[in-house]
Amino acid sequence: MGCGMGKSSLQEKKSIRAALLIQRWYRQYVARLEMRRRCTWNIFQSIEYAGEQDQIKLYSFFGFLMDHFTPASSERNLISHIFHENEICRDTEWERYFCYKDIEVPDSYTGPHLTFPMTFCGVSKLVEAFKHKQQLHARYVLQILGETWRLLRILPNINYVSVSQTKEITICGDLHGQLEDLLLIFYKNGLPSSEKPYIFNGDFVDRGKSSLEILLILFGFLLVYPNDLHLNRGNHEDHIVNLRYGFTKEILGKYRVHGKKILKLLQKIFSWLPLATVINDKVLVVHGGISNSTDLCVVSRVDRHRYVSVLRPPKTVHQTLNGNKNEDDNGPAEGRSKTFTQIVNLLWSDPMPQNGCISNEVRGGGCYWGPDVTEEVLGRHNLQLLIRSHECKQDGYEFCHNRRVLTIFSASNYYEVGSNRGAYIRMGTDLVPHLIQYQASRTCRELTLRQRYAHELSALRALREQLFVHKSDLIRAYQEFDPHHTGKISMRHWASATESVLKLGLPWRVLRSQLVSRTHYGMVDYQQWIKDILETMYRNHSNLETIFRIIDTDHSGLISLEEFRQTWKLLSSHLKMEISDKAIADLAHSIDFNKDGSIDINEFMEAFRLVDLSAHS
């Protein structure tokens, strides 16, 4: 028996040792996957913010041209329409523009039929129709938009709402055109009603494919329950941002006849959206955030409708003695700058862990504010919590600044399927946020542990594009560490040079094995790595598409040869290319393949590629 007991004890020790080894291996495996997940997340977020920064720079470039070109310049006239949206327009003119009565609904139309004033039954019918991929007729779209505009005009800049023992409030973050997330929230939490109030905290549109459907549902419930559904403006409720991130394209694709009118009306509606909501005088809900100069008294007095785009302050328009309108940018400049900055910070800012308040160079707009600013601003306004959105979070939410700032993000699977959860908040009279998480796609809930991290391939693909588009700048940076022109540099120098060019704040040495397949004794062969890479179409694709949509003033999908010539004159400095008038004319005629005197988007993109190739040959 003694011998038997010894063998049993030895076997048990071996089993325990094996279990510990398996446990250690599994923990290391999970830790590696977690590191890769965080790295993937940083890639997605860095590229997203770089794109926003690029958009603001492009708009600033056009603003510079508008400020410095002479009024008679045809090039100035080519782009002036994107800034005219910020001018004051009489309400009677807009009333005529919202008119829908001459639009007939044909008998062949199979979508939902709406009656006005809107009712709960009517909006519920709209939700069901959109759930089944039906499209609402343009007449009804214009009716909803017109009624929404009339309602928004009487709302204050800051909505003050109350919760009670019997009525909690629900707060949702960014939806970004993802209808599946909105429908899931309604399924889990219930439809908006007088007993179930909601706050939707901006960024309803762009990126996703169902931005208009989300707007129409929210506007419908707003019309039925104006005291119980509250909409805050986000930084994507801006027609200039929409040119780049998909909403403009979505509208024109779904409504080819009335799309231009719908877009025009939505620009006006976006400018009338309230800027913030305050719950029980203690909780501030705003899309982006605050700054050290945030003053809710100033915000409450702003003429918000004048900021059709918050990327550029509106001009002051006054009547002259002969009845003509003059634009005046000189007016009370200090006051205009203060109110403009207030709005930009509310819509574009992000929190940071360090104290202070600095310019948000990553996004290109708003600021970064620290916990000291949170304490000061909340204390000054007798508030206890700031709820904001604007940033995608892996769990759908995140506390910071000693739990006095809460970020809520409601678009799940934002970067890729499985990349993040969505979340919303329920809040009662105790003003304690209760967080509910979800993932809209059923497939991502069924992924294995390893499959959940497969979206890192998409992140790396996007990062390689960013590397490729900056080929020329990267080569110059690498050559500074390669005085003997060997074509090879150390891994440390490769990481340092790459970050100096892209400025994405990524762990490049960790990523090196995923990005660079060949090394020689620890040296990176950078010449081989980026050989035969065509950069221009990657670099300028988003900018060029945005520029094309700006110049295509009638949204026809075509620009004339003369507009093409003027475009080149404008952009030669922006893209650092030099080309003569004759070369432009020859190029225009050569890419007008069907010789119809106009150029579509594909021909436009090809023109820039051809010129770049000739410049490098």
Side-chain angles (χ1 to χ4, degrees):
M1 287 187 59
C3 183
M5 287 289 292
K7 288 182 180 180
S8 176
S9 176
L10 183 61
Q11 188 66 33
E12 186 176 339
K13 287 180 180 180
K14 287 183 178 180
S15 299
I16 293 174
R17 186 180 302 170
L20 290 173
L21 288 173
I22 293 172
Q23 187 179 61
R24 184 186 304 168
W25 171 86
Y26 181 74
R27 286 174 177 171
Q28 291 174 346
Y29 174 75
V30 171
R32 287 195 300 271
L33 287 180
E34 175 63 16
M35 183 181 69
R36 289 166 62 180
R37 183 183 68 86
R38 291 183 181 183
C39 196
T40 299
W41 184 264
N42 289 338
I43 292 171
F44 277 132
Q45 200 163 63
S46 297
I47 292 174
E48 177 190 2
Y49 293 168
E52 290 184 340
Q53 183 186 82
D54 207 27
Q55 170 70 7
I56 293 176
K57 287 180 179 177
L58 181 62
Y59 190 64
S60 299
F61 167 70
F62 282 125
F64 174 83
L65 294 175
M66 286 296 298
D67 291 339
H68 294 87
F69 273 52
T70 61
S73 168
S74 59
E75 287 87 356
R76 175 190 171 100
N77 294 335
L78 188 69
I79 60 170
S80 63
H81 69 96
I82 67 172
F83 298 104
H84 289 167
E85 306 300 343
N86 279 18
E87 295 177 2
I88 303 301
C89 183
R90 292 189 181 90
D91 289 341
T92 53
E93 298 174 20
W94 281 105
E95 287 285 357
R96 288 197 300 270
Y97 208 83
F98 275 102
C99 185
Y100 57 85
K101 294 179 180 178
D102 59 340
I103 302 174
E104 297 290 334
V105 180
D107 294 335
S108 59
Y109 171 68
T110 58
H113 291 268
L114 302 181
T115 57
F116 292 83
M118 290 286 287
T119 63
F120 178 82
C121 181
V123 187
S124 299
K125 185 165 41 173
L126 196 61
V127 172
E128 284 301 312
F130 291 156
K131 188 186 297 184
H132 294 94
K133 311 299 182 185
Q134 291 181 309
Q135 183 168 306
L136 187 64
H137 193 274
R139 177 189 174 101
Y140 299 131
V141 173
L142 293 173
Q143 279 186 273
I144 292 176
L145 296 184
E147 294 299 317
T148 301
W149 172 65
R150 294 180 188 94
L151 173 59
L152 289 175
R153 288 166 56 204
I154 66 175
L155 296 181
N157 292 346
I158 303 175
N159 280 310
Y160 286 85
V161 303
S162 299
V163 293
S164 64
Q165 294 286 352
T166 58
K167 188 164 76 171
E168 291 185 334
I169 197 164
T170 302
I171 304 112
C172 300
D174 298 33
L175 289 167
H176 278 300
Q178 297 185 188
L179 181 61
E180 192 176 16
D181 287 297
L182 179 63
L183 296 178
L184 183 57
I185 292 170
F186 286 163
Y187 173 78
K188 292 170 69 71
N189 195 62
L191 293 173
S193 68
S194 55
E195 291 78 33
K196 195 172 289 294
Y198 275 82
I199 298 172
F200 288 91
N201 199 26
D203 277 12
F204 320 116
V205 303
D206 278 335
R207 303 189 188 277
K209 297 179 179 180
S210 303
S211 295
L212 182 60
E213 286 78 5
I214 286 176
L215 284 180
L216 293 173
I217 289 172
L218 296 182
F219 290 164
F221 280 116
L222 177 66
L223 294 173
V224 179
Y225 303 107
N227 298 318
D228 298 291
L229 188 128
H230 309 280
L231 304 177
N232 289 341
R233 186 178 184 177
N235 65 308
H236 277 262
E237 278 69 63
D238 187 311
H239 70 104
I240 298 301
V241 178
N242 300 153
L243 284 167
R244 186 186 191 103
Y245 290 103
F247 185 48
T248 300
K249 187 175 181 180
E250 176 189 330
I251 297 294
L252 295 175
K254 291 177 178 177
Y255 294 91
R256 298 185 182 277
V257 177
H258 301 286
K260 289 181 287 184
K261 176 179 279 194
I262 292 171
L263 282 173
K264 188 80 171 180
L265 300 181
L266 283 168
Q267 291 172 14
K268 191 66 174 175
I269 287 172
F270 287 167
S271 72
W272 278 105
L273 286 170
L275 301 171
T277 305
V278 176
I279 305 171
N280 282 23
D281 296 320
K282 290 296 182 182
V283 179
L284 174 64
V285 185
V286 67
H287 178 72
I290 57 177
S291 73
N292 54 2
S293 63
T294 294
D295 187 335
L296 296 185
C297 292
V298 173
V299 173
S300 66
R301 296 193 300 268
V302 169
D303 291 330
R304 68 181 188 271
H305 64 281
R306 298 188 62 223
Y307 295 84
V308 180
S309 174
V310 299
L311 297 181
R312 180 179 170 89
K315 292 179 180 293
T316 301
V317 182
H318 61 268
Q319 295 288 128
T320 62
L321 293 176
N322 61 7
N324 294 326
K325 289 182 178 179
N326 268 359
E327 292 179 353
D328 180 16
D329 267 329
N330 298 319
E334 184 177 347
R336 287 189 298 109
S337 176
K338 184 177 181 181
T339 56
F340 170 67
T341 303
Q342 292 273 335
I343 294 179
V344 172
N345 287 337
L346 289 177
L347 270 57
W348 280 88
S349 296
D350 295 304
M352 66 178 182
Q354 303 85 6
N355 283 336
C357 187
I358 59 175
S359 177
N360 193 331
E361 299 294 342
V362 175
R363 288 190 190 267
C367 70
Y368 281 118
W369 86 92
D372 58 329
V373 175
T374 294
E375 291 293 328
E376 193 278 326
V377 173
L378 293 186
R380 177 155 40 88
H381 293 91
N382 197 26
L383 298 165
Q384 67 184 45
L385 178 66
L386 167 62
I387 296 176
R388 44 90 63 177
S389 301
H390 194 44
E391 287 184 285
C392 181
K393 299 299 179 182
Q394 293 171 358
D395 293 321
Y397 72 92
E398 183 177 273
F399 282 99
C400 64
H401 294 184
N402 300 315
R403 297 182 69 86
R404 300 202 70 184
V405 174
L406 170 58
T407 298
I408 190 72
F409 196 85
S410 299
S412 64
N413 309 303
Y414 181 61
Y415 295 123
E416 284 285 331
V417 173
S419 65
N420 67 285
R421 294 181 181 182
Y424 58 90
I425 301 167
R426 277 206 293 256
M427 181 174 284
T429 52
D430 58 2
L431 301 183
V432 174
H434 299 276
L435 293 146
I436 295 89
Q437 298 170 290
Y438 56 86
Q439 203 125 24
S441 175
R442 182 177 300 173
T443 57
C444 66
R445 293 194 291 269
E446 298 170 354
L447 294 178
T448 65
L449 180 64
R450 186 173 184 83
Q451 287 171 329
R452 287 181 184 273
Y453 297 88
H455 58 269
E456 72 181 58
L457 298 176
S458 297
L460 290 169
R461 184 166 57 249
L463 183 57
R464 289 189 187 101
E465 288 185 5
Q466 287 292 309
L467 291 165
F468 296 164
V469 304
H470 293 87
K471 180 186 70 174
S472 298
D473 296 332
L474 286 168
I475 288 176
R476 284 191 291 270
Y478 296 151
Q479 287 175 341
E480 291 183 10
F481 295 105
D482 185 21
H484 301 296
H485 307 291
T486 63
K488 299 180 177 64
I489 56 175
S490 68
M491 187 189 306
R492 179 170 63 88
H493 288 155
W494 174 84
S496 175
T498 303
E499 176 58 26
S500 70
V501 172
L502 269 69
K503 296 181 173 60
L504 294 177
L506 296 174
W508 295 106
R509 297 186 70 173
V510 174
L511 290 168
R512 194 271 312 161
S513 61
Q514 301 289 329
L515 299 171
V516 183
S517 58
R518 303 179 187 181
T519 58
H520 185 70
Y521 296 109
M523 304 290 283
V524 177
D525 187 342
Y526 65 87
Q527 288 184 337
Q528 180 64 35
W529 176 49
I530 52 182
K531 185 179 178 181
D532 300 327
I533 295 172
L534 177 62
E535 64 176 307
T536 303
M537 291 305 290
Y538 287 111
R539 169 183 291 177
N540 294 315
H541 185 280
S542 294
N543 277 347
L544 292 179
E545 186 171 351
T546 304
I547 291 164
F548 182 90
R549 297 192 184 286
I550 290 173
I551 296 165
D552 179 21
T553 56
D554 62 355
H555 301 297
S556 65
L558 301 169
I559 59 176
S560 68
L561 297 183
E562 175 59 20
E563 287 173 330
F564 179 78
R565 185 193 70 78
Q566 294 172 0
T567 303
W568 267 108
K569 300 295 286 185
L570 285 174
L571 300 178
S572 59
S573 61
H574 184 59
L575 298 178
K576 299 178 181 179
M577 299 178 183
E578 294 184 6
I579 182 170
S580 67
D581 287 346
K582 182 181 183 304
I584 293 174
D586 292 343
L587 179 62
H589 286 97
S590 68
I591 67 171
D592 179 19
F593 297 119
N594 57 5
K595 306 303 177 187
D596 62 351
S598 59
I599 296 171
D600 64 25
I601 181 65
N602 294 322
E603 293 170 334
F604 184 72
M605 303 285 279
E606 181 70 4
F608 282 88
R609 187 182 73 85
L610 292 175
V611 171
D612 185 74
L613 285 175
S614 64
H616 285 80
S617 60

